[in-house]
Amino acid sequence: MGTQFTNESISSLSADWLVIGLIESAPLTEAVAKLDKSLAGLITRLIESEDFTGKQATTSSLLGLTEIPTPRILLVGLGPKADVSLSSLEKSMMTAARTISTKQNTRIAVPLPDLGETSVTASEASRVISTSMVVGSVGQDIYREEAARHPFQDILIVGTNSADQSTCEQAVEQGLILGESINLAREMVNRHASDIFPISFADRTVEIAKTYGLESEVLDESQLKQEKMGSMLAVAQGSDQPPRLAILKHQGGDPSAPTLALVGKGVTFDSGGLSLKPSDGMKTMKCDMGGAAAVLGAMTAIARLKLPVNVVGYMGLVENMVNGSSYKLGDVLTARNGKTIEVLNTDAEGRLVLADVLTLATDRGAAKIIDLATLTGACVVALGEEVTGVFSNDDHWSKAVQDAAKSSGEDVWEMPMFPQFAEQLKSDVADLKNIGTRWGGAITAAKFLENFVGETAWVHLDIAGPAFASANQPCREGGGTGCMVKTLVEVANQFK
C-alpha cells in the first residue's frame, strides 16, 4: 500500500475512485465546481434533488464516468461545518473506505475537503484521511477463504495550492504509519486464542523489534518467579500455556531523559478461571489482550516515526484457564511489591496481572505510566461501547492524556477516584481484596491498580468497551479496533 500527497487538479487525476468529501449545505469548492462542470453539473443535480445531502457519513456513487480519467466518484457527507472534528472526519472517511474496498488493487484519490472555518487543519485532515483509508480498507478476513475487503493499492491525497505541501506530505506518511500500526493491533486481537497465546505474542514482539529497531526482552516463567511476580503467575497457573512478559524499548531521547512506560493487559484468552464465564461471555475473550495489542501497535508506530523520546512498552501475557492447578477463591497472593491480595473472584484477573507489571515498570524507573486494559464490564455499563474510561492519581498527567486523545480523535472520559472507593477493597485476611462490591466496579478496579504505582504519575485506561466491536457498522469493521494506539503515540510525541 502506497500513499502520496499532491496538489494536482482533481479533474485530471487518474485512479479507480475519486472520494470527495462535501460539507452539508455548503457551496462546492472551486476544484469540485470545476469537476462538476466537466460532468455537466451531475454533482449539482444530485444535491438539488436531495439524492445527496452531505449529512455525515452518507454516500452516493457516480459510476461509468467518461468525461474525466477516473471512472468512479464516491461523494461522502461530512455533516454541517460547525460539527466537523477529527473524529467526525474519520467516521466519514472510514465509511468511504469501507464502501469502495471490496475489490483488489484499487487506486483511490481523495481531495482535501474545504475545512477552512473548522478546527481541523489541512495537515490534520491529511493525516486522518490517510489513516482512515489504511484502516478502513482492511477487514477481519484472516480466516476467510475469500476476503470481503482489500487494502488499497495506492492512496493519493490531493491538496490545494494553499495547502503546505511539505507539512501535508509528512502528515500523510504519519497517517500511513498510524494506520498500519492500528491494523497490527487489530490483527493481534482478531486472531483466535490458538494463534495468539503468551509465547506466540512474545515471539511477535521480538520479530517486530528486529524489523523496526526496538530493543526487546522477554521474561519467561522462571524469570517471572525470580522477579517475584506472584500475582501474575497465579493467574497463569491454570493454563497449559506458560506466561510471558514482553518488553519493547525505544531509546529515542537522551539517556538521562525521563522514560514513559506503556503497560498493556495481555490475557490472551479469559475463561474466567474457576469463576467461569458463561458461553456468551467467553465468545469474544480472545480480545482480552487488547491493551497489550495497543501497546504493541503504539511501540511500532513510535519506532517508525523515530520520536525523540524514551518509551518502554510492557505487555503482561497470560491465559486464564481452568485445571487442577488453577488459582482458587480464597487464595492469598503476594504481589511483586509485597502486598498480599485475597482472591474473591478469579475472573477479576486482569488487575492481578497488571499489578505486578506496573510495579516492575515503576521499579525500572518510569517517570510516568499509562496502562491499558479491557478491564471491566462496569466501565462499558458506565460509558458505553465507544468511550474509554480514564482514571489517574495525577491531574496534570490525566489532562495530558485526555488532550492527546482529543487531538487524536478518540473519545475518553475521566472517572472519579475518590478515596472511599478504596474502602471496598479492604480484606480481613490480606492487604487487599481483588474485587469490591458491584457498585462502581470500574473505579474500584482502578483503585486496586493504584496500589502498585507508588508515587509515579499514572493513568489507567479502561478500554473494555471500544477495544472490540461486536458487529460491522458502515464506518467500522467488527472485531478488534486498535483503539488508543493513536492516543498513545500522541502522548509519546508530546512527552517531555
Side-chain angles (χ1 to χ4, degrees):
M1 185 182 297
T3 57
Q4 295 181 56
F5 181 87
T6 182
N7 283 328
E8 187 178 348
S9 167
I10 60 174
S11 299
S12 61
L13 290 171
S14 178
D16 296 309
W17 281 93
L18 189 59
V19 179
I20 300 176
L22 296 178
I23 299 287
E24 184 177 357
S25 301
L28 299 180
T29 64
E30 181 180 346
V32 177
K34 181 180 177 182
L35 175 68
D36 185 44
K37 186 175 181 180
S38 300
L39 299 173
L42 178 57
I43 296 174
T44 297
R45 291 197 300 275
L46 282 172
I47 294 171
E48 290 176 346
S49 64
E50 298 185 353
D51 289 324
F52 178 77
T53 63
K55 292 184 183 299
Q56 188 192 11
T58 57
T59 62
S60 183
S61 299
L62 312 180
L63 307 176
L65 304 176
T66 58
E67 300 88 344
I68 58 174
T70 298
R72 306 175 190 87
I73 293 176
L74 182 74
L75 302 179
V76 57
L78 303 181
K81 180 166 282 191
D83 295 341
V84 172
S85 64
L86 291 175
S87 58
S88 74
L89 179 61
E90 178 184 66
K91 182 178 181 179
S92 294
M93 290 299 161
M94 285 281 286
T95 301
R98 286 176 46 73
T99 300
I100 61 176
S101 57
T102 56
K103 294 182 179 180
Q104 297 184 42
N105 303 318
T106 300
R107 297 169 297 118
I108 65 165
V110 189
L112 286 181
D114 179 13
L115 303 176
E117 297 177 11
T118 72
S119 61
V120 181
T121 67
S123 62
E124 289 173 333
S126 298
R127 187 193 73 226
V128 169
I129 293 170
S130 178
T131 300
S132 299
M133 294 299 142
V134 172
V135 175
S137 62
V138 172
Q140 51 171 334
D141 295 313
I142 298 169
Y143 304 110
R144 294 170 62 101
E145 184 176 357
E146 294 185 12
R149 202 161 304 288
H150 301 276
F152 295 129
Q153 178 179 327
D154 292 300
I155 301 167
L156 187 63
I157 297 175
V158 188
T160 63
N161 291 330
S162 61
D164 183 333
Q165 181 154 350
S166 176
T167 301
C168 289
E169 284 175 349
Q170 292 177 9
V172 168
E173 179 64 20
Q174 291 168 359
L176 168 67
I177 290 171
L178 286 172
E180 291 180 344
S181 300
I182 290 167
N183 284 342
L184 169 61
R186 292 173 60 209
E187 179 206 337
M188 297 296 284
V189 172
N190 286 337
R191 288 192 176 276
H192 61 72
S194 294
D195 272 358
I196 297 297
F197 44 91
I199 290 176
S200 67
F201 192 118
D203 288 345
R204 188 72 179 273
T205 68
V206 173
E207 174 188 315
I208 286 169
K210 291 177 180 177
T211 302
Y212 298 114
L214 291 158
E215 297 177 35
S216 65
E217 179 183 5
V218 176
L219 303 186
D220 62 20
E221 196 169 10
S222 63
Q223 291 168 307
L224 292 172
K225 289 177 181 176
Q226 291 174 12
E227 292 287 350
K228 299 181 180 179
M229 300 181 78
S231 181
M232 176 178 172
L233 285 164
V235 177
Q237 69 191 31
S239 173
D240 292 339
Q241 296 289 349
R244 292 291 185 269
L245 175 58
I247 303 170
L248 292 176
K249 184 176 182 181
H250 171 73
Q251 191 74 32
D254 189 88
S256 62
T259 296
L260 168 65
L262 307 178
V263 175
K265 171 189 171 184
V267 179
T268 58
F269 188 79
D270 181 19
S271 71
L274 291 175
S275 303
L276 195 66
K277 293 178 183 288
S279 292
D280 282 348
M282 211 184 297
K283 287 176 182 176
T284 60
M285 281 301 102
K286 65 180 184 180
C287 82
D288 213 19
M289 34 62 73
V295 170
L296 179 60
M299 292 301 299
T300 302
I302 289 166
R304 292 181 65 184
L305 292 168
K306 297 180 170 55
L307 297 186
V309 291
N310 300 328
V311 187
V312 181
Y314 297 85
M315 291 149 277
L317 307 169
V318 301
E319 269 194 346
N320 186 25
M321 296 293 285
V322 183
N323 66 19
S325 300
S326 297
Y327 76 123
K328 304 171 182 66
L329 282 78
D331 281 358
V332 176
L333 314 178
T334 302
R336 175 183 167 82
N337 69 350
K339 288 188 180 290
T340 54
I341 305 164
E342 181 185 10
V343 176
L344 296 182
N345 189 326
T346 64
D347 196 22
E349 84 299 331
R351 65 199 70 182
L352 300 176
V353 175
L354 288 172
D356 281 340
V357 183
L358 286 168
T359 301
L360 182 67
T362 302
D363 291 346
R364 289 194 172 187
K368 293 181 180 178
I369 299 175
I370 301 172
D371 82 68
L372 303 91
T374 48
L375 203 65
T376 66
C379 200
V380 187
V381 171
L383 298 178
E385 295 184 330
E386 298 183 4
V387 180
T388 292
V390 179
F391 308 78
S392 183
N393 64 355
D394 185 288
D395 290 342
H396 294 293
W397 183 225
S398 178
K399 185 177 185 304
V401 175
Q402 291 178 68
D403 287 347
K406 183 176 181 180
S407 65
S408 300
E410 299 198 89
D411 294 328
V412 301
W413 193 260
E414 186 168 31
M415 301 288 279
M417 288 284 279
F418 299 133
Q420 59 263 36
F421 284 97
E423 295 294 314
Q424 295 185 32
L425 299 173
K426 288 185 176 179
S427 168
D428 292 335
V429 300
D431 296 321
L432 296 164
K433 297 186 293 188
N434 77 322
I435 58 168
T437 68
R438 64 177 296 190
W439 311 117
I443 303 171
T444 54
K447 294 300 287 185
F448 177 89
L449 295 177
E450 191 177 21
N451 287 275
F452 302 93
V453 295
E455 299 301 316
T456 305
W458 155 80
V459 163
H460 161 59
L461 300 175
D462 193 327
I463 59 173
F468 191 86
S470 57
N472 289 345
Q473 294 182 8
C475 67
R476 185 185 67 191
E477 187 84 3
T481 64
C483 81
M484 305 313 290
V485 169
K486 291 181 295 183
T487 295
L488 294 181
V489 174
E490 181 59 22
V491 169
N493 190 43
Q494 300 294 330
F495 185 69
K496 297 177 182 178

